[in-house]
């Protein structure tokens, strides 16, 4: 069984920075695409950033402020968030496309709260 565990959320003032981490654990798995989503109260879940191989993509709302990266040796994906705005407040969720036991599935972390005060 593969699990994703996020960390690094918290409360920060506008203009500040946070770094989120998401580590995958389990046995005999291969990770393909990794991504960060976010969901604010009353809003739909939004794709923030993805990383696959050496390619990254970002939502327009975070371009130039957020950076996604991964450490394959640690099975971990990161999201460096700079110049945070109150509208970035949301639960941030890690997602990974993983092949385990011969099957490819999408896995989700439990989410970590990011709150940006004005």
């Amino acid at each position: 069984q593969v699990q994703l565990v996020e960390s690094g959320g918290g409360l920060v003032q506008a203009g500040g920075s946070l770094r989120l981490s998401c580590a995958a654990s389990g046995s005999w798995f291969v990770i393909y695409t990794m991504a960060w989503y976010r969901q604010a109260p009353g809003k739909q879940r939004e794709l923030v950033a993805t990383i696959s191989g050496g390619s990254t993509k970002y939502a327009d709302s975070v371009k130039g402020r957020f950076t996604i990266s991964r450490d394959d040796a640690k099975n971990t994906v990161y999201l460096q968030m700079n110049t945070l705005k109150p509208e970035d407040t949301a639960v941030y969720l890690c997602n990974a496309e993983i092949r385990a036991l011969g099957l490819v599935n999408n896995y989700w972390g439990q989410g970590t709260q990011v709150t940006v005060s004005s």
Side-chain angles (χ1 to χ4, degrees), residues 33-81:
T33 301
M34 301 189 84
W36 287 97
Y37 287 74
R38 65 186 181 187
Q39 188 160 20
K43 294 187 177 181
Q44 287 189 331
R45 188 169 293 184
E46 174 190 19
L47 177 61
V48 175
T50 65
I51 184 166
S52 180
S55 298
T56 58
K57 294 182 180 179
Y58 298 91
D60 287 342
S61 58
V62 306
K63 279 181 182 176
R65 299 188 298 122
F66 290 11
T67 302
I68 188 170
S69 61
R70 62 192 284 178
D71 184 336
D72 289 332
K74 296 181 179 180
N75 294 318
T76 299
V77 63
Y78 304 96
L79 187 67
Q80 178 66 45
M81 305 185 294

Side-chain angles (χ1 to χ4, degrees), residues 2-116:
V2 178
Q3 289 187 322
L4 301 179
V5 178
E6 299 108 331
S7 60
L11 173 64
V12 64
Q13 288 189 330
S17 298
L18 282 174
R19 188 192 193 206
L20 306 182
S21 300
C22 172
S25 63
S27 300
W28 304 104
F29 62 91
V30 176
I31 303 174
Y32 299 119
T33 301
M34 301 189 84
W36 287 97
Y37 287 74
R38 65 186 181 187
Q39 188 160 20
K43 294 187 177 181
Q44 287 189 331
R45 188 169 293 184
E46 174 190 19
L47 177 61
V48 175
T50 65
I51 184 166
S52 180
S55 298
T56 58
K57 294 182 180 179
Y58 298 91
D60 287 342
S61 58
V62 306
K63 279 181 182 176
R65 299 188 298 122
F66 290 11
T67 302
I68 188 170
S69 61
R70 62 192 284 178
D71 184 336
D72 289 332
K74 296 181 179 180
N75 294 318
T76 299
V77 63
Y78 304 96
L79 187 67
Q80 178 66 45
M81 305 185 294
N82 298 328
T83 319
L84 283 160
K85 305 176 181 179
E87 51 264 44
D88 295 318
T89 295
V91 173
Y92 283 72
L93 301 111
C94 173
N95 174 270
E97 184 182 39
I98 295 175
R99 176 165 59 87
L101 300 177
L103 298 175
V104 178
N105 286 301
N106 267 295
Y107 291 81
W108 291 90
Q110 81 286 356
T112 185
Q113 177 69 47
V114 171
T115 303
V116 184

